[in-house]
C-alpha cells in the first residue's frame, strides 16, 4: 500500500506529480486560502505524512489528529509554525526548504532597503495622489545607500547573500550573530560586532534571524533608541522578533528614520495597523521568497523531503534528524 499524504494547499503541479508517483494524496484545493483548522484536523486521521505551509499550526492537537503521521514537510525555510518538541516527543520528522530561497529573499531585503531609504512607495503614492507640484532641491530626499554601513543581524545563508550584494554599493558591513561567521567575513569583508555597537553605527539594520524564544521581542524601545535617526530598519525574518508598538513609537519619534517590513506579528496584517499609517514605513506582505521559480523550488523540495522520508530514502533537509531510523 502506498503511503497516504495530505497537502495543505494547492501547490505547483511538478511537486504534486512527484508526490503522486509514490503516495496516495489528498490536497486542500485552494492556492490562496488556508485550509480551515477543523477541516485540516479531519483530513489527518489516516495520513503517514503532511506537506504544510507556514500558515498551519503544527502542534500537539495536529499530531493527535494524525496518529500515523511520520513526517511533516514544511514548505518554508522557517518552522516557527511547528512545535518541534511535540514532534520530537512523537518521533515525527520535520523537514524544511532551506537553500532554495536564499537569493530570492536577499533580493527582497535589498528591495526594501532601497525603497525605504529612497522613499519609493511614498513617492509613488504622492504622484498617484496628484501631489507632485514641482522639482525642489530638498524635495523627497532620502538616505544615501552607496557607501553607507550595512548592519546584518543574523549571519545565516540569507544574511550572507544580503552582504554579498553590498559590494556593488561599496558598503562596509558589520554583523551580529550568536557566533562569528568566518565564511561571511572572508567573502564580504564583514566585521563582527556586538549588537549594541551595530545598532549605534549601522545605517541599514537588517534582521535575518529565526524566530525562537531567544529572539522573540528582541527589537524593542531600547534597541530602537540606540539607532541613528537616519537609520533604515528592515525586518524580513519574522514579525514577532520586533515589538511593533515600540517600532511605531520609535519611527514616529524619528529613530530609526525609516523601516522596510516584509513580516508582521499577525499575518495578514490589517490595513488599520498603526505602522501602516506612517509615511516612513514600506510594507510588503511576506513575499521574501515569492518568485515563480523559487516557490516551485520550495514546493518540489518539500515534496522530495516528504517522499524520501516515507519511502526510506535519505532525507535532504531534516530539521530533527535524531528521529530518523539509523541508515
Ligand atoms: C520562509 O521560508 O521561512 C519564508 O518566510 C517564506 O518563504
Amino acid at each position: 500500500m502506498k503511503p497516504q499524504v495530505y497537502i495543505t494547499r494547492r501547490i505547483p503541479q511538478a511537486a504534486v506529480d512527484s508526490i503522486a508517483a509514490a503516495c496516495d494524496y489528498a490536497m486542500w484545493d485552494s492556492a490562496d486560502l488556508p485550509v480551515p483548522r477543523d477541516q485540516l484536523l479531519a483530513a489527518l486521521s489516516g495520513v503517514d505524512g503532511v506537506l504544510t505551509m507556514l500558515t498551519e499550526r503544527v502542534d500537539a492537537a495536529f499530531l493527535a489528529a494524525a496518529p500515523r503521521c511520520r513526517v511533516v514537510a514544511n514548505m518554508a525555510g522557517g518552522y516557527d509554525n511547528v512545535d518541534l518538541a511535540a514532534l520530537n516527543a512523537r518521533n515525527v520528522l520535520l523537514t524544511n526548504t532551506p537553500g532554495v530561497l536564499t537569493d530570492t529573499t536577499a533580493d527582497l531585503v535589498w528591495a526594501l532597503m532601497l525603497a525605504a531609504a529612497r522613499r519609493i512607495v511614498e513617492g509613488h503614492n504622492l504622484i498617484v495622489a496628484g501631489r507632485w507640484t514641482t522639482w525642489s532641491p530638498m524635495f523627497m530626499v532620502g538616505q544615501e545607500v552607496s557607501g553607507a554601513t550595512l548592519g546584518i543581524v543574523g549571519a545565516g545563508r540569507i544574511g550572507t547573500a544580503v552582504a554579498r550584494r553590498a559590494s556593488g554599493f561599496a558598503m562596509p558591513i558589520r554583523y551580529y550573530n550568536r557566533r562569528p561567521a568566518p565564511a561571511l567575513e572572508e567573502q564580504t569583508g564583514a566585521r563582527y560586532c556586538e549588537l549594541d555597537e551595530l545598532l549605534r553605527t549601522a545605517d541599514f539594520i537588517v534582521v535575518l534571524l529565526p524566530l525562537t524564544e531567544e529572539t522573540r521581542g528582541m527589537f524593542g524601545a531600547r534597541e530602537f533608541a540606540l539607532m541613528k535617526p537616519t537609520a533604515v530598519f528592515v525586518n524580513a525574518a519574522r514579525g514577532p522578533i520586533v515589538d511593533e508598538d515600540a517600532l511605531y513609537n520609535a519611527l514616529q519619534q524619528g529613530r530609526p528614520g525609516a523601516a522596510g517590513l516584509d513580516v508582521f506579528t499577525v499575518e495578514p496584517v490589517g490595513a488599520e495597523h498603526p505602522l501602516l499609517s506612517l509615511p516612513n514605513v514600506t510594507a510588503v506582505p511576506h513575499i521574501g521568497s515569492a518568485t515563480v521559480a523559487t516557490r516551485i523550488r520550495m514546493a518540489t523540495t518539500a515534496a522530495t523531503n516528504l517522499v524520501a522520508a516515507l519511502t526510506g530514502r535519505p532525507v535532504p533537509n531534516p530539521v530533527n534528524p535524531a528521529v530518523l531510523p539509523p541508515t
Side-chain angles (χ1 to χ4, degrees):
M1 238 180 62
K2 285 179 169 181
Q4 305 290 312
V5 160
Y6 187 67
I7 308 169
T8 66
R9 197 77 65 90
R10 194 182 333 132
I11 56 174
Q13 196 55 41
V16 177
D17 289 347
S18 76
I19 292 171
C23 309
D24 288 330
Y25 74 92
M27 178 166 69
W28 175 245
D29 197 24
S30 167
D32 302 322
L33 292 177
V35 51
R37 179 77 172 175
D38 55 337
Q39 293 188 49
L40 169 64
L41 297 187
L44 296 178
S45 61
V47 301
D48 303 292
V50 192
L51 193 152
T52 50
M53 312 293 120
L54 47 76
T55 44
E56 275 78 60
R57 217 169 56 250
V58 181
D59 56 9
F62 178 109
L63 294 172
R68 273 176 37 187
C69 179
R70 286 180 281 142
V71 54
V72 172
N74 211 34
M75 189 184 134
Y79 45 86
D80 47 285
N81 59 312
V82 177
D83 179 346
L84 194 52
L87 263 70
N88 287 339
R90 277 266 327 268
N91 242 26
V92 174
L93 179 69
L94 173 66
T95 67
N96 66 342
T97 64
V100 297
L101 47 83
T102 304
D103 285 319
T104 309
T105 308
D107 292 345
L108 192 272
V109 167
W110 271 89
L112 285 173
M113 287 169 55
L114 290 163
R118 298 302 303 274
R119 306 173 64 179
I120 300 297
V121 175
E122 207 183 334
H124 173 91
N125 290 341
L126 178 138
I127 293 179
V128 170
R131 287 189 288 111
W132 184 16
T133 50
T134 184
W135 187 96
S136 309
M138 298 306 280
F139 171 61
M140 287 293 298
V141 291
Q143 297 305 324
E144 194 82 357
V145 181
S146 293
T149 298
L150 172 59
I152 296 176
V153 185
R157 288 185 175 89
I158 300 170
T160 303
V162 168
R164 277 202 304 269
R165 284 157 174 71
S167 67
F169 292 83
M171 294 170 91
I173 304 165
R174 298 187 177 170
Y175 76 98
Y176 171 75
N177 202 44
R178 267 200 307 197
R179 53 189 95 79
L184 171 66
E185 295 181 18
E186 269 157 43
Q187 284 175 34
T188 67
R191 178 165 81 69
Y192 179 86
C193 67
E194 290 304 327
L195 182 60
D196 284 4
E197 186 197 339
L198 182 148
L199 300 180
R200 278 195 200 96
T201 55
D203 299 302
F204 288 84
I205 295 152
V206 176
V207 181
L208 289 164
L209 295 164
L211 174 63
T212 62
E213 280 323 301
E214 213 181 330
T215 62
R216 187 179 294 277
M218 181 169 164
F219 286 84
R222 193 191 82 85
E223 286 68 32
F224 295 125
L226 294 175
M227 295 177 189
K228 297 181 186 182
T230 49
V232 173
F233 176 76
V234 172
N235 185 9
R238 286 293 184 265
I241 296 173
V242 172
D243 175 341
E244 288 177 345
D245 292 339
L247 178 59
Y248 173 78
N249 292 332
L251 285 164
Q252 267 208 323
Q253 288 155 23
R255 191 186 290 265
L261 304 173
D262 182 38
V263 289
F264 296 85
T265 298
V266 175
E267 296 180 0
V269 67
E272 69 295 339
H273 193 292
L275 278 169
L276 303 180
S277 68
L278 298 176
N280 49 351
V281 167
T282 302
V284 289
H286 202 147
I287 56 169
S289 62
T291 65
V292 175
T294 292
R295 287 290 165 83
I296 291 174
R297 275 199 300 269
M298 289 167 68
T300 51
T301 302
T304 301
N305 282 318
L306 181 75
V307 171
L310 292 173
T311 54
R313 291 205 304 274
V315 178
N317 308 112
V319 172
N320 52 348
V323 308
L324 283 168
T327 47

